[in-house]
Amino acid sequence: MENLAKKVRSKKLSTRVDLTAMVSVSFLLIIFFMVTIELAKPKAMVLDSPDHGCCDCPSYPDYGENRSITVMLDENDKLIYYMGLLESPIIAPKEIKYGKDGIRRELLKRKNSLLKYSSKSLKPESIIVIIKPSKKSNYGNLVDILDEMKIAEIETYAVVPEFTPEETKLLAAN
């Protein structure tokens, strides 16, 4: 039993844990997850559609064929436009390019001529653009034509996915 009494006890060391590295890693993880959450949010373009009479929106009884331009989008960045009705167009259907020397110049020219014509009346009328993307056109073409509407400051336009039989024949012929 004497051996047990003389037993040397080991010196107790203080247990100190350095958490500096843990704090650095946790801040890096917080920043990483904040950035990935922000990048994972869907980015979408707001596309307003008509309410179809569910609100008291003003009605315009003077929609005329001389105010409407129809722009049809087809495959391979093809863009065909006409003014008025297809049966009796004011401007016959023609193929045109995107950009400032193409559809933008035509839109601005038609908008300015209509504003000059309607400036004599009390309320100036604006041009109406009907955008018709075909099933063969790509999403980039739709974004490009919507950008042209914004650049040309066309306030009244609509994206209509339906084609008349005459328009389908026109696209097939071109």
Side-chain angles (χ1 to χ4, degrees), residues 130-146:
I130 301 167
I131 303 167
K132 294 189 172 190
S134 71
K135 292 180 182 176
K136 296 178 183 177
S137 68
N138 59 32
Y139 183 72
N141 291 359
L142 182 61
V143 171
D144 290 343
I145 197 68
L146 291 176

Side-chain angles (χ1 to χ4, degrees), residues 23-169:
V23 170
S24 297
V25 168
S26 58
F27 276 121
L28 285 173
L29 285 173
I30 289 170
I31 291 171
F32 171 76
F33 285 118
M34 286 174 57
V35 168
T36 55
I37 286 171
E38 188 62 32
L39 292 176
K41 289 181 182 175
K43 307 284 189 255
M45 181 181 354
V46 178
L47 184 63
D48 292 334
S49 59
D51 292 332
H52 299 294
C54 65
C55 67
D56 31 336
C57 301
S59 62
Y60 298 102
D62 54 347
Y63 280 151
E65 59 192 49
N66 59 346
R67 291 179 51 202
S68 69
I69 292 181
T70 303
V71 177
M72 298 185 296
L73 312 175
D74 203 12
E75 64 183 338
N76 300 328
D77 300 331
K78 192 188 305 185
L79 187 69
I80 299 173
Y81 88 102
Y82 62 91
M83 187 168 185
L85 301 173
L86 188 57
E87 298 80 32
S88 59
I90 296 169
I91 297 175
K94 38 179 157 169
E95 191 170 337
I96 196 165
K97 301 285 183 199
Y98 290 95
K100 70 175 188 175
D101 293 330
I103 190 68
R104 188 181 316 160
R105 180 173 51 183
E106 283 298 317
L107 290 172
L108 289 171
K109 185 167 61 170
R110 300 297 162 210
K111 179 182 170 187
N112 291 336
S113 68
L114 185 64
L115 286 175
K116 284 180 192 174
Y117 175 75
S118 66
S119 65
K120 297 170 188 165
S121 65
L122 297 174
K123 160 185 94 149
E125 297 175 347
S126 64
I127 199 164
I128 303 163
V129 179
I130 301 167
I131 303 167
K132 294 189 172 190
S134 71
K135 292 180 182 176
K136 296 178 183 177
S137 68
N138 59 32
Y139 183 72
N141 291 359
L142 182 61
V143 171
D144 290 343
I145 197 68
L146 291 176
D147 286 343
E148 295 294 342
M149 296 297 121
K150 186 77 171 173
I151 292 169
E153 298 176 355
I154 305 293
E155 296 173 5
T156 309
Y157 59 89
V159 179
V160 181
E162 295 91 21
F163 284 89
T164 63
E166 293 84 14
E167 290 171 335
T168 307
K169 290 177 188 174

